């Protein structure tokens, strides 16, 4: 039996603008993970099980249904040259809420890719860059125009500074001078990243100069944030998160529920707060300190957060 996992992720700065080549910063959310388990089977064929979603299908059916599972398996087959798969059962489970802006799709795909490569005897191939690249191919099928930041963070499982560019994305790790204590508050509202990204694209096409200026602003905020993280300037990082939220709101990707959680966190003493990921629902993040963490967590729950996780970036 082979098991592989991949973490969720949060975007600290620069979501949406990252699709248009501006820098962004993201970090893994290692305490919530997607897991893929593969066992050799007695009966021929490949079966895919996702008990949490009540899914049990043959590979042929997932391919006919256009599921990401099938696409992930095909990517591994293409990359390894294995045309005939041995009989197996692939079981997928995930603690990452679906459509919550925490990268659940990329994490499930990355876990399946890593597990299958290992099961087929290609564990040495399944390094982060390879897993990231194959996951990106699957993301492209399901998410329209993904920037590549989700697959990068879940495959490398490190905080990254990311710029989408040709011929190769810029992927850099950076020093975190003072740990960042983040609370991740879930609105409980699921929201499709594909729809919010598509909507931003339509608005950008209709008003390119306005949206280019908003993307530039996000890019400048992400640059300043990287320097502030490297310098350990927590107050500035918080301030930049607040600014980033306002720009995302102008891009119409916030929502009343996200705004409510962001404002509640700010009023309870968070150094800064913003939505994280595709927006219109999903999750927000708040930068706290040991002194403010309990109060901010309480107000987030009182303001409607369904769960609050803590993530420390060091
Ligand atoms: O909602 P998520 O977790 O898939 O994050 C999406 C991040 C975006 O910048 C909105 C899209 C992208 O591909 O980078």
């Amino acid at each position: 039996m082979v098991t592989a996992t991949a973490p969720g992720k949060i975007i600290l700065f620069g979501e949406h603008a990252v699709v248009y080549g501006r820098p962004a910063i993201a970090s893994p959310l290692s305490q919530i993970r997607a897991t893929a388990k593969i066992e050799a089977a007695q009966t021929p064929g490949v079966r895919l099980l996702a008990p949490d979603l009540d899914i049990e299908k043959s590979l042929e059916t997932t391919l006919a249904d256009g599921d990401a599972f099938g696409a992930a398996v095909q990517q591994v087959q293409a990359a390894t040259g294995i045309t005939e798969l041995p009989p197996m059962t692939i079981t997928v489970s995930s603690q990452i809420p679906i459509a919550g802006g925490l990268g659940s799709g990329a994490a499930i795909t990355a876990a399946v890719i890593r597990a299958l490569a290992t099961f087929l005897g290609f564990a040495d191939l399944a390094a982060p860059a390879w897993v990231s690249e194959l996951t990106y191919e699957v993301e492209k099928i399901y998410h329209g125009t993904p920037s590549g930041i989700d697959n990068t963070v879940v495959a490398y499982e490190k905080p990254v500074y990311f710029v989408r560019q040709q011929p190769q994305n810029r992927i850099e790790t950076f020093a975190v001078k003072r740990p960042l204590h983040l609370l991740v508050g879930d609105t409980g509202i699921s929201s499709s990243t594909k729809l919010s990204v598509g909507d931003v694209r339509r608005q950008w096409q209709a008003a390119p100069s306005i949206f280019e200026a908003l993307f530039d602003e996000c890019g400048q905020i992400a640059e300043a944030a990287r320097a502030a993280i490297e310098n350990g300037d927590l107050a500035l990082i918080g301030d930049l998160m607040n600014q980033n939220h306002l720009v995302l709101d102008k891009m119409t990707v916030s929502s009343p529920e996200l705004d409510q959680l962001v404002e509640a966190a700010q009023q309870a003493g968070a150094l800064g707060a913003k939505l994280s990921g595709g927006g219109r629902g999903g999750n927000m993040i708040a930068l706290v300190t040991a002194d403010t963490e309990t109060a901010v967590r309480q107000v987030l729950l009182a303001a409607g957060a369904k769960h609050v996780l803590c993530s420390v970036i060091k």
Side-chain angles (χ1 to χ4, degrees):
M1 188 183 80
V2 168
T3 302
T5 70
K9 70 101 224 303
I10 45 178
I11 297 194
L12 289 171
F13 291 97
E15 50 274 270
H16 287 286
V18 67
V19 175
Y20 299 83
R22 275 42 164 215
I25 297 174
S27 176
L29 203 50
S30 294
Q31 69 266 53
I32 51 171
R33 311 188 69 86
T35 302
K37 185 177 81 178
I38 306 189
E39 288 161 297
Q42 305 304 325
T43 46
V46 176
R47 292 202 69 71
L48 292 155
L49 309 184
D52 306 341
L53 303 173
D54 237 352
I55 291 175
E56 182 174 348
K57 291 181 179 183
S58 66
L59 178 59
E60 291 72 28
T61 312
T62 67
L63 290 171
D65 291 352
D67 296 343
F69 290 138
V73 172
Q74 279 186 324
Q75 283 299 325
V76 175
Q77 286 188 274
T80 57
I82 301 278
T83 45
E84 288 292 318
L85 290 168
M88 70 178 92
T89 304
I90 306 178
T91 307
V92 175
S93 60
S94 176
Q95 303 160 318
I96 310 164
I98 294 171
L102 300 181
S104 80
I108 292 170
T109 300
V112 169
I113 288 171
R114 202 172 265 151
L116 183 57
T118 307
F119 185 79
L120 295 174
F122 292 88
D124 52 330
L125 269 187
W130 189 85
V131 174
S132 177
E133 196 183 310
L134 267 56
T135 302
Y136 183 62
E137 292 306 314
V138 178
E139 290 274 286
K140 277 202 291 203
I141 306 173
Y142 297 94
H143 288 284
T145 54
S147 62
I149 194 168
D150 277 21
N151 48 283
T152 302
V153 179
V154 305
Y156 285 81
E157 201 164 349
K158 281 188 185 143
V160 294
Y161 167 93
F162 178 94
V163 186
R164 180 187 195 188
Q165 59 181 31
Q166 293 296 339
Q168 229 177 6
N169 293 327
R170 194 168 149 200
I171 300 167
E172 291 171 9
T173 52
F174 50 86
V176 181
K177 191 160 179 194
R178 290 175 68 192
L180 307 181
H181 290 255
L182 293 160
L183 293 180
V184 184
D186 188 352
T187 61
I189 296 167
S190 50
S191 165
S192 149
T193 300
K194 186 175 182 178
L195 288 183
S196 73
V197 169
D199 223 26
V200 169
R201 181 164 296 274
R202 276 185 292 281
Q203 295 180 77
W204 168 69
Q205 282 161 344
S209 57
I210 293 176
F211 271 73
E212 284 292 328
L214 294 173
F215 297 152
D216 280 344
E217 236 181 295
C218 292
Q220 283 151 12
I221 290 171
E223 287 295 353
R226 176 177 173 166
I229 293 169
E230 287 171 335
N231 294 329
D233 189 342
L234 296 180
L236 179 56
I237 299 165
D239 197 39
L240 291 164
M241 287 170 68
N242 293 337
Q243 288 180 37
N244 199 165
H245 184 76
L246 293 176
V247 185
L248 289 162
D249 192 29
K250 285 189 198 152
M251 287 181 201
T252 76
V253 294
S254 192
S255 70
E257 296 80 6
L258 282 166
D259 287 344
Q260 192 169 325
L261 295 186
V262 165
E263 281 159 28
Q266 288 163 340
Q267 279 162 19
L271 291 166
K274 64 180 277 291
L275 72 85
S276 180
R280 300 256 168 95
N283 282 263
M284 53 71 71
I285 53 176
L287 181 65
V288 295
T289 59
D291 289 343
T292 56
E293 178 173 345
T294 306
V296 174
R297 179 188 289 275
Q298 276 166 1
V299 296
L300 284 174
L301 290 168
K306 299 291 174 280
H307 321 270
V308 178
L309 293 173
C310 178
S311 173
V312 181
I313 302 175
K314 338 185 231 215

